[in-house]
Amino acid sequence: MATSGVSIAEELRAALDGPWREVREQARTLLDDDRLYGDPSLDIKAARARVLEQMRLVASFGWVERGFHSASGIPGDPGAVVTALEMLAYTDLSLWVKSGVQWGLFGGAVENLGTERHREYIDDLISLDLLGCFAMTETGHGSDVANLETTATYDPATQEFVVHSPTPSARKDYIGGAAEHARMAAVFAQLITGGESQGVHCFLVPIRDEGGSDLPGVTTSDCGLKGGLPGVDNGRIMFDQVRIPRENLLNRYADVAPDGTYSSEIANPSRRFFTTLGTLVRGRVSVGGAAAAAARVALSIAVRYAEQRRQFADPDTGEETLLLDYRSHQRRLLPLVARSYALAFAQNDLVRRMHLVQTGQDLDPLAQRALENRAAGLKVAQTRHATAAIQECREACGGAGYLTENRLVTLKADTDVFTTFEGDNVVLTQLVAKDLLTAYAEEVRDLDAMGWVRFAATTARDVVRERSGVRQMIQRLRDRGDETVDEGDLSRRSVQLQLFADREDYLTRTAAHRLRARAKETGPFEAFNNAQDHILAAGTAHIERMVLEAFIDGIAEIEDEDARALANTVCDLYVYWTLEQNQAWYIMHRFMSVERAKAVRRGVNELVDRLRPQALTLIEGLGVPENMLRAAMLD
């Protein structure tokens, strides 16, 4: 049993560090290096050069190669490399993004979509002898990848693909590395052979020579100044009949023979497309993790500042009051700390799932789809949390928070785009909800009218819960006690989880009903568009329930009683605060009385008051070492 705040903090940190704890511990040592932190005073030219040099230092740590199969075919350790590179968010987010583009996106495309004939590129991209970029997004098509306009037309006479941008909107846009450093691009384009399009595939296209000049037919340009991330050279690429060898098609899932014959082991074009994109899920997992890491940095700075900054005198003592002793300040920061804990446990679970799938340890055909859905939902939750938390931290630190030397405005600027890249958050929430609705539809597809009415009246609310395993978790939690659970007792974990699940169930069921009713009167698009707000709400509720479930499971793994008790209190705050954010919905739909809503509000106040003395312990548990905060106001 822990006996001091420091040891409890160590227990919490160990729990949040997750399955690759030793990787995080090593990173905390290696990254405590002045060379790896950003310098906000640099112009973009100097900032880009600095990040490239930082990447060479990171390449020497031995992390990157762990993310790739060895030349002899030994599987890599994707969980370790995602965890290690996430830690770069503690130092410089430009460095994290640039590393993610090089080793995660470009390298991930070669590793996961290529075959043995592309092995020659792996060693060079790991060592940075080959700098690459990931050219998917176009000016006219971002999230709608299936309808990208860039073409790669096969010419059997020369056994080459001709890569071309047929319209201005086909320009590859916002591409990290394209403005200056990348010499090769992983280009997503419509594969055309024999006059027929086979859908979007990925090709390796050289774009610059050794001297940095554009190759014939390639035109690159610079996106210029952005809202943040000055060390990332985002650019644009246009192709004018650029010829590449047939072998430059990344042919893991499809190939073109010398005579132009197209072949694939996946006959269904839609399934082939989603299989291709699914293998790149590591990027989405990483984006969410880095956003959450940046929020932990901001909260660590803001809470430590609130523990030392005084404002206004206590009339009883005459002594000025610490910011964190004010209830309003506790409410501003401590629920966000609780949410950071919840998201850290959820990220650990997600990385573990990704690792099992990508190393072939989980061969369940549904595991990949479930991983993609979970990664999409968690990326939404983490990036939205980062945007909200960093802004709150900036405001909570007053004028000091607005100074660049205290990092918060830099963190705010650098993470702002995280809600957009690797999937726009609204689109991803919609994707999560569509998966829920598809599963729901499968439950009711074959029912006749009477069966539908009976189903809706008796079991429809339980569909999501049954499928996701929430019902089993609720029962398991109830079984831990010796007495019957009081359904009105919000301190009971089972009641909390049921409230989250009830909201998800209700929103999914009523969204499905709304779609069905509207579809009888109009076309599919109008029916969907009419219910889009409802559908997005269902997706958000699912994400919140998923995060709570991961939090509960994470706490169960903490062996130390004191640390586990503190984590349980943090979980209560996360629950009460989330319920408070949604209490209007709960009251409106009669899942919560006005009296219970008042109890929720009182609960938040009681919990922040209870956690106030443990604030620094919780911050230390988040795992950002004080010496890595680099905020001048804490000196």
Side-chain angles (χ1 to χ4, degrees):
M1 182 179 294
T3 57
S4 71
V6 172
S7 58
I8 291 175
E10 289 172 350
E11 294 283 351
L12 292 174
R13 187 181 67 200
L16 263 64
D17 277 355
W20 286 271
R21 179 184 177 187
E22 77 287 350
V23 172
R24 292 190 187 276
E25 290 287 8
Q26 181 194 44
R28 291 186 180 101
T29 300
L30 291 173
L31 296 179
D32 187 21
D33 186 322
D34 290 342
R35 294 172 294 175
L36 292 172
Y37 288 82
D39 182 349
S41 68
L42 299 177
D43 61 30
I44 62 170
K45 188 76 174 175
R48 290 171 178 180
R50 179 180 174 86
V51 167
L52 190 56
E53 287 308 306
Q54 290 174 325
M55 287 178 67
R56 299 193 191 284
L57 180 56
V58 172
S60 72
F61 293 163
W63 295 342
V64 178
E65 47 266 44
R66 294 178 68 175
F68 297 87
H69 282 71
S70 68
S72 59
I74 298 173
D77 190 349
V81 75
V82 165
T83 301
L85 294 181
E86 175 195 305
M87 300 292 284
L88 296 177
Y90 289 173
T91 61
D92 184 354
L93 282 161
S94 284
L95 171 59
W96 178 84
V97 171
K98 185 81 168 175
S99 298
V101 168
Q102 172 70 16
W103 294 309
L105 295 178
F106 176 65
V110 178
E111 166 84 353
N112 295 305
L113 299 181
T115 57
E116 192 55 38
R117 76 186 189 196
H118 305 107
R119 177 68 214 181
E120 62 181 285
Y121 298 108
I122 296 293
D123 291 341
D124 287 345
L125 69 88
I126 289 174
S127 65
L128 300 180
D129 289 333
L130 173 63
L131 293 172
C133 62
F134 187 79
M136 178 183 282
T137 300
E138 295 177 358
T139 304
H141 290 86
S143 299
D144 188 8
V145 178
N147 287 307
L148 295 176
E149 295 179 79
T150 302
T151 57
T153 306
Y154 186 67
D155 181 358
T158 60
Q159 296 187 28
E160 294 173 315
F161 284 100
V162 182
V163 181
H164 186 60
S165 306
T167 67
S169 60
R171 179 184 66 184
K172 296 297 181 181
D173 216 342
Y174 324 119
I175 310 301
E180 190 172 342
H181 295 148
R183 288 193 289 111
M184 179 175 282
V187 177
F188 286 79
Q190 304 285 349
L191 189 159
I192 300 171
T193 183
E196 184 179 354
S197 176
Q198 299 293 344
V200 172
H201 292 64
C202 189
F203 305 81
L204 295 179
V205 184
I207 59 173
R208 285 191 179 88
D209 61 23
E210 295 289 342
S213 299
D214 290 348
L215 291 170
V218 177
T219 302
T220 64
S221 56
D222 199 320
C223 289
L225 290 171
K226 308 183 297 294
L229 301 172
V232 183
D233 52 323
N234 293 87
R236 305 177 172 111
I237 315 173
M238 290 288 284
F239 302 101
D240 183 9
Q241 308 293 337
V242 176
R243 289 182 171 269
I244 59 172
R246 180 182 67 89
E247 291 78 12
N248 281 29
L249 166 65
L250 295 177
N251 62 328
R252 173 70 57 87
Y253 299 109
D255 208 351
V256 173
D259 66 358
T261 303
Y262 179 85
S263 62
S264 175
E265 294 181 358
I266 305 174
N268 184 292
S270 178
R271 184 163 157 264
R272 184 167 61 241
F273 170 71
F274 284 108
T275 299
T276 297
L277 294 188
T279 61
L280 305 174
V281 71
R282 195 184 302 183
R284 193 166 285 164
V285 172
S286 298
V287 167
R296 292 195 294 271
V297 174
L299 285 164
S300 297
I301 293 170
V303 171
R304 287 185 181 278
Y305 182 69
E307 282 279 22
Q308 67 183 45
R309 176 77 160 91
R310 294 181 179 274
Q311 188 84 292
F312 300 110
D314 182 329
D316 295 328
T317 66
E319 185 178 358
E320 286 192 305
T321 305
L322 287 170
L323 289 181
L324 202 55
D325 285 337
Y326 289 104
R327 170 66 56 76
S328 61
H329 216 77
Q330 295 164 11
R331 268 184 159 269
R332 296 179 81 169
L333 297 179
L334 295 183
L336 294 169
V337 172
R339 187 162 175 80
S340 281
Y341 270 80
L343 292 171
F345 282 118
Q347 177 71 3
N348 288 342
D349 176 66
L350 179 65
V351 173
R352 179 185 58 79
R353 291 169 185 263
M354 180 208 73
H355 181 82
L356 293 175
V357 169
Q358 295 200 336
T359 55
Q361 297 177 67
D362 187 347
L363 298 175
D364 184 340
L366 298 178
Q368 176 69 44
R369 179 66 182 270
L371 173 64
E372 294 167 33
N373 182 275
R374 187 172 287 264
L378 196 52
K379 184 265 180 184
V380 171
Q382 291 168 312
T383 56
R384 284 181 174 163
H385 169 65
T387 297
I390 296 170
Q391 175 64 26
E392 196 65 58
C393 289
R394 206 294 301 155
E395 293 183 27
C397 292
Y402 198 58
L403 298 181
T404 302
E405 68 179 8
N406 292 319
R407 291 191 70 187
L408 294 173
V409 287
T410 302
L411 288 167
K412 179 183 173 184
D414 287 347
T415 57
D416 191 44
V417 75
F418 281 45
T419 58
T420 299
F421 65 43
E422 281 299 310
D424 174 88
N425 277 0
V426 172
V427 174
L428 291 184
T429 305
Q430 192 167 281
L431 182 145
V432 170
K434 281 182 176 180
D435 194 62
L436 285 175
L437 291 168
T438 299
Y440 181 88
E442 289 172 354
E443 295 285 339
V444 300
R445 179 175 293 144
D446 297 326
L447 295 182
D448 58 19
M450 184 57 68
W452 170 264
V453 171
R454 187 179 300 114
F455 179 87
T458 59
T459 63
R461 278 177 57 181
D462 294 330
V463 171
V464 173
R465 195 180 309 162
E466 188 67 42
R467 179 175 53 79
S468 64
V470 181
R471 170 177 284 179
Q472 290 88 332
M473 174 176 274
I474 291 172
Q475 193 60 55
R476 189 172 78 247
L477 290 165
R478 286 176 173 171
D479 290 342
R480 289 175 182 168
D482 296 328
E483 57 186 20
T484 303
V485 172
D486 177 1
E487 291 293 325
D489 186 356
L490 285 171
S491 68
R492 301 283 183 178
R493 209 52 93 216
S494 58
V495 176
Q496 296 171 356
L497 187 57
Q498 186 167 336
L499 281 168
F500 278 53
D502 280 343
R503 180 164 171 255
E504 177 187 357
D505 291 343
Y506 183 90
L507 284 165
T508 302
R509 178 165 51 93
T510 51
H513 289 185
R514 187 170 166 185
L515 283 169
R516 279 172 60 93
R518 189 71 173 183
K520 294 176 182 178
E521 305 168 3
T522 186
F525 171 76
E526 187 175 336
F528 183 85
N529 202 39
N530 177 67
Q532 192 174 28
D533 58 331
H534 199 145
I535 290 165
L536 290 170
T540 299
H542 170 77
I543 294 165
E544 289 176 350
R545 194 269 304 160
M546 177 183 72
V547 171
L548 175 57
E549 192 174 339
F551 199 169
I552 294 170
D553 283 340
I555 291 173
E557 297 297 317
I558 301 175
E559 294 182 3
D560 181 81
E561 292 181 18
D562 292 342
R564 188 169 63 251
L566 183 55
N568 269 308
T569 304
V570 174
C571 186
D572 283 335
L573 178 56
Y574 167 69
V575 170
Y576 275 70
W577 184 65
T578 304
L579 291 174
E580 186 179 51
Q581 305 303 301
N582 295 288
Q583 65 183 10
W585 184 92
Y586 279 104
I587 293 172
M588 185 168 60
H589 293 87
R590 300 183 181 181
F591 282 93
M592 186 180 288
S593 66
V594 173
E595 289 72 22
R596 175 171 274 194
K598 290 179 180 178
V600 168
R601 187 185 62 202
R602 288 195 304 271
V604 174
N605 288 339
E606 291 169 7
L607 287 163
V608 296
D609 186 59
R610 191 184 310 167
L611 289 171
R612 164 65 186 97
Q614 303 291 338
L616 281 181
T617 297
L618 294 177
I619 289 303
E620 289 168 8
L622 285 179
V624 188
E626 190 172 5
N627 55 295
M628 293 185 72
L629 296 179
R630 305 294 178 105
M633 64 185 176
L634 299 180
D635 294 340

